[in-house]
Amino acid sequence: MNTLQEQLCAWENLRLAYDKAARGKRGRGATAAFEYDLADNLLAIERELRRQTYQPGPYHSFYIHEPKKRLISAAPFRDRVVHHALCNVTTPHFERLFIANSFANRSGKGTHRALDTCQAYARRYRYVLPCDIVQFFPAIDHAILLQTLRAMLPDESVLWLVERILQSGQGVLTEEYDMVYFPGDDLFAVHRPRGLPIGNLTSQWWANVYLNPFDHFVRRELRCKAYLRYVDDFLLFGNDKAQLMDWRDAIVERLARLRLTLHRGAAHPRPVTQGIPFLGFIVFPTHRRLKARKGYAFRRKMRALLRQPGISQEKIRASVQGWLNHARYGDTFGLRRSMLAELGLLYV
């Protein structure tokens, strides 16, 4: 059997990686420039990967403000090809070890299946414990991540590339992280390499890898039968509020081993009939409502878009369709119709 390194450098893998990185972006600046000398560019990447001389380029960082302020770091197109090549050969091994109810960034999973599962559990259980992690991506510890990757992969031949990508993102999220000291830390803990750039394909997969041992802890050690996670948002369901509180205490302790902190303010058992805030919706046993801020954000975005001189109908239609595709997974027919009418977009 070929090592992961050999699979990584295979021409078929690099060509597939390019196709994935370029999907929906062909004809645009960096993608078009790469495609102009496609064979030469892929051969150069292959050579650097085989010799282990590949070095990532600098990130372009910018903030987005929906649903909340986040620093997004975009790698150069060439690096995105490498990220896809690495994920092509490693993610099948991760998939075999992930629990079924980890829904983020996985084929056949996603936001809407997570919402369906949440609602199914809300119909079967009386209470839910909603949880999320403080500054998740900035807090991910490189040493712990590498140890977890080493345990999940069949060989260590691509860990040099993992380390190189991690090093390239070190410091990108420094200003987004408020230092937390955990039991046993000394003053040098502040210098531990941490943080995954939000925007990398590798970051999305490694975030799931990082929390995979935690997922198995909840299912096997806490024996929670109704648990699901989407990135760093996760829900535990049960019929006993006291048990959910005990689980919360155990979760705080287990996350500390990963150098992560639970948002305690929202992590309290609540009746499912009050509605569960999850992935942009309020989920009830019988129906779902879109969070109000999602509607306000769409209205602001569209008003700004419509004010742009020379804006194309195609761009307006794409923006509206993206929102409709998300909103339709709630009981939002009236909201969608009134929102489009208010904006004068019923023709779209």
Side-chain angles (χ1 to χ4, degrees):
M1 179 179 175
N2 291 341
T3 65
L4 291 176
Q5 170 72 5
E6 292 169 329
Q7 296 171 43
L8 171 74
C9 299
W11 176 260
E12 296 80 5
N13 182 48
L14 295 177
R15 180 57 203 246
L16 175 61
Y18 163 74
D19 289 338
K20 289 182 175 181
R23 193 169 295 158
K25 303 180 182 69
R26 281 192 167 89
R28 300 182 189 175
T31 311
F34 191 95
E35 187 173 22
Y36 184 76
D37 290 312
L38 180 58
D40 287 345
N41 285 324
L42 290 180
L43 285 169
I45 289 175
E46 180 188 9
R47 184 166 55 250
E48 292 172 25
L49 292 177
R50 289 193 185 279
R51 297 174 180 174
Q52 300 187 14
T53 58
Y54 162 78
Q55 292 291 342
Y59 288 92
H60 166 62
S61 296
F62 55 93
Y63 283 99
I64 62 170
H65 296 270
E66 299 296 346
K68 59 185 178 182
K69 185 179 179 182
R70 291 180 184 273
L71 180 66
I72 305 298
S73 300
F77 181 78
R78 186 177 194 268
D79 292 343
R80 296 201 294 274
V81 173
V82 174
H83 296 170
H84 275 281
L86 179 60
C87 289
N88 286 346
V89 301
T90 56
T91 53
H93 301 285
F94 302 151
E95 283 285 4
R96 287 196 286 269
L97 298 172
F98 288 159
I99 66 168
N101 281 2
S102 169
F103 286 96
N105 309 308
R106 299 174 63 192
S107 177
K109 303 289 184 177
T111 303
H112 303 125
R113 291 224 171 166
L115 287 165
D116 289 343
T117 303
C118 171
Q119 190 162 46
Y121 285 152
R123 290 169 178 162
R124 290 168 50 193
Y125 295 92
R126 294 172 59 195
Y127 301 106
V128 61
L129 177 67
C131 300
D132 69 297
I133 294 169
V134 178
Q135 299 174 331
F136 175 54
F137 279 92
I140 290 176
D141 187 88
H142 290 187
I144 296 173
L145 174 60
L146 282 167
Q147 180 182 6
T148 309
L149 285 164
R150 187 173 283 111
M152 293 179 71
L153 292 174
D155 64 61
E156 300 185 7
S157 60
V158 294
L159 287 184
W160 72 270
L161 180 57
V162 173
E163 291 179 335
R164 199 122 339 142
I165 295 171
L166 284 175
Q167 289 165 5
S168 74
Q170 189 173 329
V172 169
L173 293 175
T174 298
E175 298 301 318
E176 308 301 309
Y177 179 70
D178 298 321
M179 182 62 196
V180 177
Y181 289 91
F182 294 93
D185 280 353
D186 56 26
L187 292 177
F188 296 101
V190 72
H191 300 300
R192 291 180 68 103
R194 63 176 64 82
L196 294 182
I198 302 173
N200 280 1
L201 176 67
T202 49
S203 296
Q204 297 170 20
W205 279 101
W206 295 345
N208 277 342
V209 166
Y210 198 80
L211 286 177
N212 185 58
F214 174 78
D215 293 338
H216 287 281
F217 161 76
V218 174
R219 295 299 298 271
R220 295 178 182 179
E221 296 187 41
L222 297 186
R223 297 187 179 180
C224 176
K225 296 180 180 179
Y227 165 76
L228 68 149
R229 179 175 63 80
Y230 192 96
V231 192
D232 63 320
D233 290 319
F234 53 97
L235 305 170
L236 290 81
F237 291 81
N239 291 318
D240 186 337
K241 287 180 72 173
Q243 183 181 59
L244 287 172
M245 286 300 294
D246 289 342
W247 284 349
R248 189 189 77 155
D249 294 341
I251 285 168
V252 169
E253 180 181 339
R254 182 54 63 113
L255 287 177
R257 300 187 192 181
L258 298 173
R259 305 189 67 79
L260 299 174
T261 308
L262 187 71
H263 260 128
R264 293 198 185 217
H268 294 283
R270 57 192 293 170
V272 296
T273 52
Q274 289 183 0
I276 306 163
F278 191 54
L279 301 181
F281 290 86
I282 307 297
V283 180
F284 296 86
T286 55
H287 62 286
R288 303 174 198 165
R289 293 178 183 166
L290 190 72
K291 281 187 176 180
R293 61 176 172 78
K294 289 286 186 178
Y296 298 144
F298 172 70
R299 184 189 289 124
R300 284 196 305 271
K301 177 181 177 181
M302 289 309 305
R303 284 177 174 167
L305 198 64
L306 291 169
R307 285 196 297 268
Q308 292 181 17
I311 187 71
S312 70
Q313 292 296 308
E314 182 181 355
K315 188 167 184 180
I316 293 172
R317 187 175 290 108
S319 186
V320 171
Q321 197 60 51
W323 182 76
L324 291 176
N325 286 342
H326 178 68
R328 69 186 176 88
Y329 284 90
D331 298 275
T332 59
F333 179 80
L335 171 66
R336 283 177 277 155
R337 188 171 183 83
S338 64
M339 185 76 75
L340 296 183
E342 177 187 335
L343 294 167
L345 294 172
L346 281 180
Y347 65 89
V348 176

